[in-house]
Structure formats: structure tokens, C-alpha cells
Amino acid sequence: MVQKTTLLLLLTALVSCNNSNSKSDKELIQSAQGLLGNWELKLADGVLSENWIKINDSTYNGNSVFLKGTDTIHQETMILQQLGENLTYKTLIKGQNNNEPIIFLYKETETNQFVFENLNNDYPQKIKYTTTVPNKLTAEISGLQLKKPHSEKYTLGKKN
């Protein structure tokens, strides 16, 4: 009887651990749902747009384009993915880094703010998204550029 009770308790503990891990496996990516949608910023020299879609429970795909008239000035694809307890931001910028992806790792931050770092990247070393204002997405890149601190910040509005 004691063996059956011990076995039952052990199985219950294992199932509980597995269930809590499954939930935590998705917590970070779920907290980034504010990124989802189509975003746009009209500037004097062009239009910046960023679009995010949910692929599955652990992956969001994004793309960013800066158009000046009909010319594509900047084009980037992004993958936000949670693997276990790690959230990664993978970016591929056309014409940069030999067209190979660059991976940034999530750093814990405040609610509705997501900071990713790759201190080995030439520029940027930090990417930050903030979704605290409804229908606004602020994207900021920063780090050392030519050995000097530099940052760029864009606040995009949600497109319907």
C-alpha cells in the first residue's frame, strides 16, 4: 500500500511538473501578442511598415519594409520564437551579414516591453519593442555604431 501511494505521489508530481512547464513554455511568446498586426509610420522620406503574424503557439513571424516611393530602401524578416524558457528574435536583413540571420536573445524587462540583445553584433546590439499605448508600437534599436553610442526610435500606428 505504501509503495502504491508513493508511486501515485511521484506520478502526480511528474504530471504537475510537465503541465507547469508546458504553460511556461508559452508564457513569454504569449506576452508578446501586442506585436501582432500591421503597423505603419509615415515619414517625410518614406513609409516604414512592420507586420507580425502568429504562426503557432511558440512562433511569430514579422517583416519590416521601408519604402521611398516605389523603391525598397530596407527589407527585413523576423522570427520571434520561444524554445523552452528562451525567447529569441531572429532577423534577416536583405544585403547585410552575408544575408545570414542574426539572433538576439530576450532580456527580462517590464510588462509590455521586450528587449533583445546581441552584444557581438556590429549594430544594433539591442532591439526594444514597447506596446504600452493602445494601437501604438514603439521600436528602438541601439548600441555602438562606429564606436559611438547611437539609437533610433520609431513609433508606428496600427493599421486596420
Side-chain angles (χ1 to χ4, degrees):
M1 180 72 167
V2 172
Q3 288 178 338
K4 287 182 181 180
T5 304
T6 304
L7 183 58
L8 183 60
L9 288 173
L10 182 60
L11 287 173
T12 303
L14 286 173
V15 169
S16 296
C17 288
N18 285 340
N19 286 343
S20 66
N21 284 344
S22 296
K23 184 178 179 187
S24 69
D25 281 351
K26 310 284 188 295
E27 269 181 32
L28 289 173
I29 194 83
Q30 287 175 355
S31 66
Q33 287 183 35
L35 292 175
L36 298 175
N38 300 318
W39 305 91
E40 185 175 85
L41 174 61
K42 293 181 181 177
L43 301 164
D45 55 346
V47 177
L48 174 65
S49 65
E50 191 159 311
N51 304 301
W52 286 93
I53 60 170
K54 181 178 180 176
I55 299 301
N56 57 42
D57 287 345
S58 62
T59 306
Y60 298 167
N61 280 3
N63 65 58
S64 179
V65 177
F66 185 76
L67 296 174
K68 185 174 185 177
T70 58
D71 294 330
T72 301
I73 306 301
H74 173 85
Q75 185 173 0
E76 178 177 2
T77 57
M78 298 90 66
I79 299 172
L80 185 62
Q81 187 170 42
Q82 184 165 352
L83 299 169
E85 295 180 9
N86 298 313
L87 187 62
T88 60
Y89 181 96
K90 187 188 302 187
T91 180
L92 179 63
I93 302 170
K94 190 173 182 180
Q96 291 186 13
N97 196 43
N98 296 317
N99 290 321
E100 293 292 324
I102 303 165
I103 297 173
F104 292 80
L105 300 177
Y106 173 76
K107 299 296 176 187
E108 280 193 45
T109 56
E110 301 170 18
T111 303
N112 297 322
Q113 187 178 80
F114 306 91
V115 177
F116 302 91
E117 288 183 345
N118 179 338
L119 300 178
N120 296 319
N121 192 41
D122 57 353
Y123 182 81
Q125 290 88 41
K126 186 185 286 187
I127 299 170
K128 179 167 92 173
Y129 284 98
T130 307
T131 59
T132 53
V133 178
N135 298 318
K136 298 285 182 192
L137 174 66
T138 301
E140 184 175 358
I141 60 173
S142 61
L144 294 177
Q145 189 174 40
L146 302 173
K147 298 183 182 181
K148 295 182 182 177
H150 183 75
S151 69
E152 301 169 46
K153 189 175 187 177
Y154 305 96
T155 300
L156 298 91
K158 194 153 199 173
K159 287 176 55 178
N160 293 332

